[in-house]
Amino acid sequence: MTDHVLHSPPAKTITGGLTAVLYGTLTYLLFLGTFLYAIAFVGNLPVPKTIDSGTAGPLVPSLLINVVLLGLFAIQHSVMARPAFKRWWTRIVPQSVERTTYVLLASLALLLLYWQWRPMTAIIWSATDPVAAIVLQTISWIGWTVVLASTFMINHFELFGLRQVLARLLGRELPPAEFKTPMLYKVVRHPLYLGFLLAFWATPTMTVGHLVFAIATTGYILIGIWLEERDLIALFGDQYRRYRQQVSMLIPLPRNKAKVG
């Protein structure tokens, strides 16, 4: 009994762990709601605000506001994901909730975008053929499915911070990052981004606002891939270089068997 008491974690540690788990869980639920709302927002499903709902205002002010909203999300999402920022940030925020805080701020940036987005409803194209409309809508749904499935192929709960806060509560150290290429990652290097591109571009009706959203997010994805792969090469070295040479970035192509020397 004495030995057990001496080795019990202090109450402050337990309280901190429980607080972190509560923070992580609430943030994850917020992310989940934000993600589901994104599907409705982009697809013009029946929710209070979508990419094309509302009365369109003057084009230039609407465009500027939307570009700023997209830029805020892109800056937050990219800067906070960089290793150098994480090293600085974890001097302020505990390591165990660093990812959770990242997810929280990303979700808030998206909620701001949904709230303040200005519709630009002039039509670029519209699929009048019912079959074509169904095909485009199906591709979009496939895209969203690929996005979600891709997160589970790596580690969904670590990606969104839950694994880290649970490890803190249990007093466990997370294992070092391991390079792996499960399932779709054997076909393309970035299936999650491919899913987003399918979801954003495959639409029966493309408005100016939707086109601005799709172009901006595509540009962000390409920049994000460049930054992410630079970090992965720094982390995994030739192992990732070989993978990059063998597997295409976004478009599924036959695997290149060549090896990096």
Side-chain angles (χ1 to χ4, degrees):
M1 176 65 72
T2 303
D3 183 68
H4 174 73
V5 172
L6 289 175
H7 290 84
S8 295
K12 184 176 180 181
T13 300
I14 295 175
T15 301
L18 289 171
T19 302
V21 168
L22 178 61
Y23 176 41
T25 301
L26 292 176
T27 297
Y28 177 77
L29 292 175
L30 176 64
F31 147 75
L32 193 59
T34 303
F35 174 77
L36 293 174
Y37 198 97
I39 298 173
F41 180 79
V42 174
N44 286 303
L45 299 180
V47 291
K49 179 75 177 293
T50 73
I51 201 166
D52 293 323
S53 66
T55 303
L59 179 61
V60 173
S62 297
L63 178 62
L64 290 175
I65 290 170
N66 291 343
V67 168
V68 168
L69 292 169
L70 288 162
L72 286 174
F73 173 78
I75 291 169
Q76 178 275 327
H77 210 253
S78 290
V79 172
M80 291 191 71
R82 304 280 66 80
F85 183 89
K86 290 180 182 181
R87 286 191 294 271
W88 170 80
W89 185 230
T90 49
R91 297 175 187 172
I92 304 169
V93 174
Q95 180 74 40
S96 58
V97 297
E98 178 271 326
R99 188 68 187 181
T100 291
T101 305
Y102 171 84
V103 172
L104 173 63
L105 293 177
S107 299
L108 292 176
L110 278 177
L111 290 173
L112 177 64
L113 186 147
Y114 303 152
W115 176 38
Q116 289 297 320
W117 182 264
R118 301 300 194 262
M120 297 182 286
T121 54
I123 294 176
I124 304 297
W125 77 64
S126 180
T128 55
D129 182 351
V131 174
I134 291 172
V135 169
L136 287 169
Q137 193 63 61
T138 301
I139 292 172
S140 179
W141 280 106
I142 290 172
W144 287 115
T145 302
V146 168
V147 169
L148 188 59
S150 297
T151 67
F152 283 99
M153 288 173 199
I154 39 179
N155 193 319
H156 177 86
F157 296 109
E158 183 173 342
L159 190 63
F160 297 105
L162 285 177
R163 188 183 182 197
Q164 293 89 325
V165 295
L166 184 60
R168 174 180 176 176
L169 178 64
L170 299 176
R172 296 175 181 172
E173 291 288 332
L174 291 178
E178 179 186 356
F179 180 71
K180 53 185 179 180
T181 58
M183 301 177 72
L184 289 179
Y185 287 85
K186 290 181 171 64
V187 182
V188 291
R189 301 198 302 273
H190 301 281
L192 189 148
Y193 293 144
L194 171 60
F196 276 126
L197 292 175
L198 293 175
F200 295 160
W201 283 97
T203 176
T205 302
M206 178 66 80
T207 62
V208 171
H210 195 142
L211 182 63
V212 168
F213 183 90
I215 290 172
T217 50
T218 300
Y220 165 69
I221 283 171
L222 294 175
I223 294 170
I225 287 173
W226 178 78
L227 292 169
E228 184 177 318
E229 294 201 334
R230 185 186 64 176
D231 295 340
L232 288 168
I233 289 172
L235 184 61
F236 296 111
D238 283 345
Q239 193 174 20
Y240 193 84
R241 291 190 183 95
R242 284 191 293 270
Y243 174 64
R244 190 168 65 168
Q245 186 180 63
Q246 294 166 4
V247 178
S248 61
M249 183 171 72
L250 290 168
I251 301 173
L253 296 171
R255 192 179 178 98
N256 181 6
K257 299 299 184 182
K259 302 289 185 181
V260 174

